[in-house]
Amino acid sequence: MTIGLDDVIAAETALSHVDGEAGRLIIAGHDLEALAGRVAFEDAVALLWEGLVPDLVHPRAVLGQARERAYGYLEPLGPQLAGLTPVEGMRMLLAGLPDAEVDHPTLAVGAAGVAAAMAVRGTQGLAPVAPDARSSHAADILRMMRDAPVSDDEAQGLDTYLVTVIDHGLNASTFTARVVASTQAGILSSVVAGLCALKGPLHGGAPGPVLDMLDAIGSIDNAAAWLDDAIVRGERLMGFGHRIYRVRDPRADVLKAAVGRLKGRGNRIAFAEAVEATALKVLERRKPGRRLDTNVEFYTAILLDALGVPREGFTPLFAAGRTAGWVAHAIEQSRLRRIIRPQSRYVGAWPAQAA
Ligand code: ACO
């Protein structure tokens, strides 16, 4: 029996494959490097959904219309965002959608993009910005979030990010989405459940804390001592380590390249690189044999920060990209018409024997 399900195969999927030893991620038959930064998010969604969602011939237009329709349902929920964090706000918005009208693959992805932007604004007391169906998904999310024009290189940066996180094997949130889908609860419920799992700091809630860590380190002269002290105190270095990857997470490289393409963003990337190199040395010394390396969250933090996204908005944006994967897994799983129902081993007390 494996507590934590390490190495247990719980599903067959044609969607993505993570090779943790080689540091390779295959999405819908393509290496990540062939998609991220090369194929628009909408086209990556169409590739991922091939055979699962019919008639996605013009994905950019279809997703644009989906954002507009979703906004009609989400906008009235805006006042309820007060007092919530953005990820709580996104959860509230998506959970508030009526299954009967919105339980559809493209609407779920459209709604996730709109909800991410609305949640970031609404939790700061700012009014929502309506979507523009003609825009690309990435450019529109950034514009709705900032209420300011978005440059082509910024839109490209977010697009690369959304494609990079679109799917990633049977990670915790995808497994959660599949469990919910296996009960035939519907696409929207699977997405909300996926978001709840993603929210935790051991999964998708880490990129904000990566920036907090960089801020706390302050300068490269301080890095070695700061990182060493953190590990000695028993803390985890945010943006490092992964359950599956035993080498560098390939998503880290793709995102690092995307940050490099953003012009005029100061020297945080140089600082981040220096901290990364120091952290790897410290981890090697303090955690020998553990094979800890940089994960997706490290350069996510640098990229989204460079795009002007507040750090509490990082997890909602992760969810906006990953929703396409959750939807695909939900459909793949629900087609099996078989509930996921593992066993537990009882270690509690037994009733006393009758005399
Ligand atoms: N910093 C310091 N030590 C670490 C780190 C880290 N980031 N990650 C793991 N370790 C250590 C553990 O303390 C443990 O050491 P020990 O054996 O001396 O106790 C050893 O490495 C193995 O750790 P596990 O907990 O078995 O690793 P697991 O596979 O369960 O955890 C996880 C993976 C949750 C990602 C972990 O590496 C972590 O907490 N990282 C920091 C948070 C983070 O970056 N999360 C984002 C992950 S990417 C994603 O989900 C999208």
Side-chain angles (χ1 to χ4, degrees), residues 161 165 207 255 295-305 314:
Y161 174 67
V165 298
L255 294 179
N295 66 43
V296 64
E297 304 282 28
F298 194 77
Y299 282 100
T300 290
I302 313 301
L303 176 65
L304 296 184
D305 182 55
F314 292 178

Side-chain angles (χ1 to χ4, degrees), residues 16-352:
S16 64
H17 172 65
V18 182
D19 182 340
E21 291 295 327
R24 186 174 188 197
L25 169 58
I26 295 168
I27 298 171
H30 303 267
D31 273 307
L32 170 69
E33 294 77 2
L35 297 179
R38 294 169 189 267
V39 171
F41 176 71
E42 293 87 337
D43 296 324
V45 173
L47 273 174
L48 191 67
W49 288 3
E50 222 173 277
L52 295 174
V53 179
D55 303 329
L56 207 60
V57 184
H58 301 293
R60 178 170 162 152
V62 170
L63 277 184
Q65 287 155 12
R67 285 193 304 280
E68 287 198 336
R69 251 193 87 196
Y71 186 74
Y73 293 103
L74 291 168
E75 200 258 349
L77 302 174
Q80 295 177 41
L81 289 167
L84 301 179
T85 65
V87 72
E88 291 165 352
M90 186 173 183
R91 184 183 60 187
M92 181 278 289
L93 290 171
L94 294 180
L97 291 172
D99 261 359
E101 286 120 281
V102 192
D103 202 42
H104 185 273
T106 49
L107 267 176
V109 174
V114 173
M118 262 184 79
V120 168
R121 288 182 69 72
T123 51
Q124 298 174 70
L126 301 169
V129 174
D132 174 358
R134 295 160 306 171
S135 181
S136 75
H137 199 62
D140 211 24
I141 291 175
L142 260 191
R143 187 192 54 81
M144 286 188 282
M145 191 174 281
R146 305 198 310 206
D147 195 19
V150 173
S151 72
D152 287 348
D153 67 335
E154 287 174 325
Q156 173 70 40
L158 185 61
D159 189 86
T160 302
Y161 174 67
L162 296 176
V163 173
T164 300
V165 298
I166 195 167
D167 201 40
H168 198 246
L170 205 57
N171 60 85
S173 57
T174 299
F175 181 55
T176 305
R178 286 189 81 119
V179 171
V180 173
S182 81
T183 73
Q184 305 296 323
I187 288 172
L188 206 51
S189 297
S190 299
V191 167
V192 174
L195 173 62
C196 292
L198 186 76
K199 175 175 172 285
L202 298 191
H203 190 9
V210 167
L211 280 193
D212 296 340
M213 182 180 83
L214 292 178
D215 285 349
I217 292 171
S219 76
I220 192 59
D221 297 341
N222 194 29
W226 193 99
L227 294 163
D228 198 61
D229 284 353
I231 295 187
V232 170
R233 282 195 306 271
E235 288 173 18
R236 294 195 170 197
L237 305 184
M238 288 293 143
F240 296 89
H242 198 274
R243 174 59 64 83
I244 306 289
Y245 289 120
R246 293 295 159 228
V247 293
R248 203 164 193 276
D249 185 332
R251 299 171 297 176
D253 287 322
V254 167
L255 294 179
K256 187 174 166 184
V259 189
R261 285 193 290 271
L262 289 173
K263 296 166 200 83
R265 297 291 170 178
N267 61 2
R268 203 192 257 278
I269 188 162
F271 176 55
E273 270 178 322
V275 170
E276 181 188 16
T278 309
L280 292 177
K281 278 190 209 139
V282 172
L283 285 168
E284 206 178 308
R285 187 159 43 82
R286 289 286 181 189
K287 300 277 173 186
R290 300 294 196 287
R291 300 175 71 188
L292 297 167
D293 214 318
T294 317
N295 66 43
V296 64
E297 304 282 28
F298 194 77
Y299 282 100
T300 290
I302 313 301
L303 176 65
L304 296 184
D305 182 55
L307 292 173
V309 178
R311 52 192 81 178
E312 305 75 35
F314 292 178
T315 308
L317 280 182
F318 191 158
R322 182 58 58 84
T323 294
W326 292 332
V327 166
H329 280 272
I331 298 171
E332 208 182 43
Q333 181 68 44
S334 63
R335 282 186 176 177
L336 301 176
R337 302 223 153 252
R338 185 167 174 81
I339 194 165
I340 296 177
R341 204 317 188 175
Q343 299 277 0
S344 53
R345 180 161 58 93
Y346 182 62
V347 293
W350 289 89

